[in-house]
Amino acid sequence: MGNKFTSFLVLLLCFIINLVNSEYYHSKSILSMAPHNSVTHLHFYYFDIHTGNNPSAIVVAHANQTTLSPTFGNVYAIDNPLREGPEETSKIIGNAQGLYVSSSRNKDDVTLTMYVDYAFTYGELKGSSISILSRNPVSAPTRELTVVGGRGKCRMAIGFAIISTHFLNVTTGDGIIEYNITVYHN
Ligand SMILES: *[C@@H]1O[C@H](CO)[C@@H](O)[C@H](O)[C@H]1NC(C)=O
Ligand SMILES: *[C@@H]1O[C@H](CO)[C@@H](O)[C@H](O)[C@H]1NC(C)=O
Ligand SMILES: *[C@@H]1O[C@H](CO)[C@@H](O)[C@H](O)[C@H]1NC(C)=O
């Protein structure tokens, strides 16, 4: 009898504690769930096309001066295709949407600061994306960009991209950029 009553009290106590805990928040130990327990490598080509009937990068704002660098202050909106290979016919595996701004006053050192979400529409990472927020000194042969987050399979992503220009038309700004990305994520 006494034992049954004690068991009942313990159960009641557990129930009350549970009620209190579940009222408006719920937390648990994360010791067994390291936030970055996967590493993923990505390789693709980013097509930044300013010309033609269907450009994927357009100027949405610019400064009213050209005394410094001619592009300083230009803000571009992009919806750039990501392809498996560098050919225009290569399979599209995603798209990069967002903004970049020409952020260097020095005309000999064009830098784009990028605020871009790279989403994947094909294969293993379909429905997932990674976010880059980084400066990109475009005249350097290879650049490193910071990956600051991600969605879907890339949730909690942190990492870096090593990029280099595969093709650039300096007159039009049309470019094809090779990306190698390493991300650590959930
Ligand atoms: C742009 O700059 C020119 C020359 O300084 C000036 O006359 C003009 O009012 C400016 N336009 C705007 C929209 O600020
Ligand atoms: C990306 O990685 C591949 C394979 O390791 C390599 O051949 C290529 O040069 C790299 N490109 C960049 C831009 O890092
Ligand atoms: C760059 O674009 C201009 C204008 O479309 C074109 O005349 C020129 O041939 C292009 N250059 C290269 C290297 O593709």
Side-chain angles (χ1 to χ4, degrees):
M1 259 317 194
N3 268 350
K4 271 190 181 165
F5 186 66
T6 311
S7 301
F8 173 73
L9 276 185
V10 168
L11 273 179
L12 187 67
L13 197 62
C14 286
F15 180 68
I16 290 170
I17 288 171
N18 205 20
L19 264 189
V20 169
N21 270 344
S22 62
E23 256 181 2
Y24 70 99
Y25 77 98
H26 177 70
S27 60
K28 58 183 168 184
S29 164
I30 57 166
L31 290 178
S32 60
M33 315 190 305
H36 302 129
N37 54 23
S38 305
V39 60
T40 296
H41 297 281
L42 298 153
H43 180 247
F44 56 78
Y45 292 80
Y46 157 106
F47 281 63
D48 192 40
I49 307 302
H50 298 253
T51 55
N53 295 332
N54 192 18
S56 62
I58 56 172
V59 177
V60 292
H62 62 86
N64 185 24
Q65 61 81 32
T66 52
T67 52
L68 304 163
S69 148
T71 66
F72 178 52
N74 286 9
V75 179
Y76 301 81
I78 63 165
D79 180 3
N80 282 343
L82 307 176
R83 296 181 188 270
E84 248 170 10
E87 308 81 21
E88 270 167 40
T89 52
S90 181
K91 183 166 189 56
I92 291 182
I93 53 105
N95 56 73
Q97 296 186 3
L99 298 171
Y100 58 77
V101 56
S102 178
S103 52
S104 174
R105 284 178 291 167
N106 181 350
K107 65 179 183 315
D108 300 322
D109 167 36
V110 174
T111 296
L112 302 176
T113 299
M114 308 186 55
Y115 311 86
V116 179
D117 182 296
Y118 297 71
F120 303 100
T121 53
Y122 172 77
E124 191 65 19
L125 291 182
K126 183 175 176 177
S128 300
S129 72
I130 58 162
S131 296
I132 285 184
L133 193 167
S134 195
R135 65 174 66 194
N136 174 10
V138 295
S139 48
T142 66
R143 292 86 76 181
E144 179 181 338
L145 311 182
T146 317
V147 175
V148 295
R151 299 184 303 125
K153 286 194 171 145
C154 297
R155 187 181 287 174
M156 304 283 282
I158 192 94
F160 57 92
I162 305 295
I163 72 171
S164 78
T165 303
H166 176 78
F167 165 82
L168 177 67
N169 184 322
V170 288
T171 313
T172 62
D174 287 357
I176 302 172
I177 315 298
E178 182 183 7
Y179 273 68
N180 273 330
I181 302 184
T182 302
V183 280
Y184 301 88
H185 57 91
N186 261 358

